[in-house]
């Protein structure tokens, strides 16, 4: 007998992604995720949610959480997502996410979760005191994706490992329950210079909501002065910019700023270097600041306008939740049957 690969998934393409409402959104979230959502919605059926169930794996003030969900939604809309085209919803309003996550908790293996680097980073020295939810977080993420049989997941580079786990869960489910091709093996869409934006203070650390230094990131709600000042203060080196990416290899801060410029301008880093080769940061930084203000200014202005009308945001979320529940229900009903639950 020969080993044959199981039949591949043959359903339609679908995009799904989400962002946690756990702090101010920054340039990394915008370039690594949000701008891609807006682009993809016109090509493929797109589901974008606010990951509030993921957010509570670490403490969130209950008085603030719903407001944070609205803020992320405002950022989605301000960066071009159209609620008539994409389905935009809060994760916790679709209870099937939790139901499928439980089933996947029984499919995923402890050894797989033990390898997750994000849990190690987030739990630090206090593993025993971390919530169980923080540990099984990637399993919920697999459920988010597979509940809609999503085939493509636009995310930053830091989510690659979670996507690999999603594929492992899908493959094991298909195999163990003998339903080849039932779940797709989704791809992480991480192409482009925006997939890994680094801290403005340290080119070896990623730009992050949890960095204690606000100067390390450009927040989507920063005003023009703050953006210009943070870029002026960004760590660099005294060398001029080279002509090739190869020569930037050991200059992480310089490489990052070139990448930011490229991602904001919708160009490649090579094209940016072709324009700025030979120039120092004294010339490059003001140009980058102008570009960042021109691109981010309208986004933050639109976010503020939307946040002033929470009723409109809530209508978008309620409508999206209804559509998401309707899309999830038949898939979860099939899963219940496959697992053999009573009454399914
Ligand atoms: P979160 O909320 O940490 O980040 C949201 C998105 O922003 C990307 N990102 C970055 N991209 C480039 N450079 C950076 N410095 C940077 N920092 C963050 C992230 O990769 C992400 O795409 N686990 C997810 C949320 C989630 C999810 C999902 C995503 C839950 N379920 C299902 C996709 C599919 C997270 O914590 O993202």
């Amino acid at each position: 007998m020969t080993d044959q690969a199981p039949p591949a998934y043959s359903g339609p393409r679908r995009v799904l992604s989400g962002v946690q409402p756990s702090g101010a959104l920054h340039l990394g979230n915008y370039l690594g995720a949000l701008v891609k959502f807006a682009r993809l919605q016109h090509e493929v059926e797109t589901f974008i949610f606010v990951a509030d169930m993921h957010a509570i794996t670490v403490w969130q003030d209950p008085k603030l959480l719903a407001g944070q969900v609205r803020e992320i939604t405002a950022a989605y809309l301000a960066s071009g997502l159209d609620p008539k085209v994409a389905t935009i919803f809060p994760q916790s309003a679709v209870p099937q996410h939790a139901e499928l996550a439980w089933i996947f908790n029984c499919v995923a293996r402890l050894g797989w979760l033990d390898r997750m680097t994000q849990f190690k980073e987030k739990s630090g020295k206090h593993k025993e005191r971390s919530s169980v939810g923080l540990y099984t977080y990637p399993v919920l993420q697999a459920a988010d994706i597979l509940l809609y049989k999503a085939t493509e997941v636009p995310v930053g580079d830091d989510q690659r490992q979670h996507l690999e786990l999603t594929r492992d869960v899908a493959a094991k489910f298909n195999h163990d329950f003998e339903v080849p091709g039932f779940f797709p093996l989704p791809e992480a869409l991480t192409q482009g210079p925006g997939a890994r934006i680094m801290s403005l203070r340290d080119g070896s650390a990623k730009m992050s909501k949890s960095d204690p230094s606000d100067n390390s990131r450009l927040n989507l709600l920063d005003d023009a002065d703050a953006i210009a000042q943070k870029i002026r203060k960004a760590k660099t080196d005294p060398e001029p910019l080279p002509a090739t990416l190869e020569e930037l290899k050991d200059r992480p801060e310089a490489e990052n700023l070139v990448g930011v410029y490229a991602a904001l301008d919708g160009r490649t880093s090579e094209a940016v270097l072709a324009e700025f080769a030979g120039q120092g940061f004294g010339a490059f930084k003001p140009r980058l600041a102008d570009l960042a203000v021109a691109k981010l200014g309208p986004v933050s202005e639109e976010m503020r306008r939307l946040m002033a009308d929470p009723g409109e945001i809530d209508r978008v979320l309620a409508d999206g939740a209804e559509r998401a529940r309707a899309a999830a229900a038949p898939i979860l009903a099939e899963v219940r049957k496959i697992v053999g639950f009573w009454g399914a």
Side-chain angles (χ1 to χ4, degrees), residues 55 68 97 163 165 212 218 224 234 238 264 301 315 343:
Q68 290 164 199
H97 286 248
L163 261 293
L165 185 119
L218 297 183
L264 280 171
E301 201 177 306
R315 275 189 290 281

Side-chain angles (χ1 to χ4, degrees), residues 16-20 26 28-29 32-33 49 51 54 91 118 122 137 141 144-145 153-159 162 194-198 206-209:
L16 175 134
S17 196
V19 174
Q20 292 192 69
H26 54 71
N29 303 128
F49 68 100
H54 276 102
Q91 184 183 31
Q118 202 158 85
K122 287 198 177 172
Y137 175 118
Q141 184 158 348
D144 300 334
I145 298 167
V153 185
V155 280
D157 230 26
D158 61 341
Q159 296 298 314
H162 291 162
R196 192 166 174 76
I197 303 295
M198 308 310 279
K206 87 177 175 182
M207 187 176 285
S208 153
K209 294 169 193 165

Side-chain angles (χ1 to χ4, degrees), residues 22 39 51 53 87 199 208 214 225 250 252 263 307 325:
S22 54
R39 205 177 316 131
M53 287 160 65
T87 300
S199 156
S208 153
D214 194 55
D225 286 346
D250 300 318
M307 276 152 50
R325 284 192 294 264

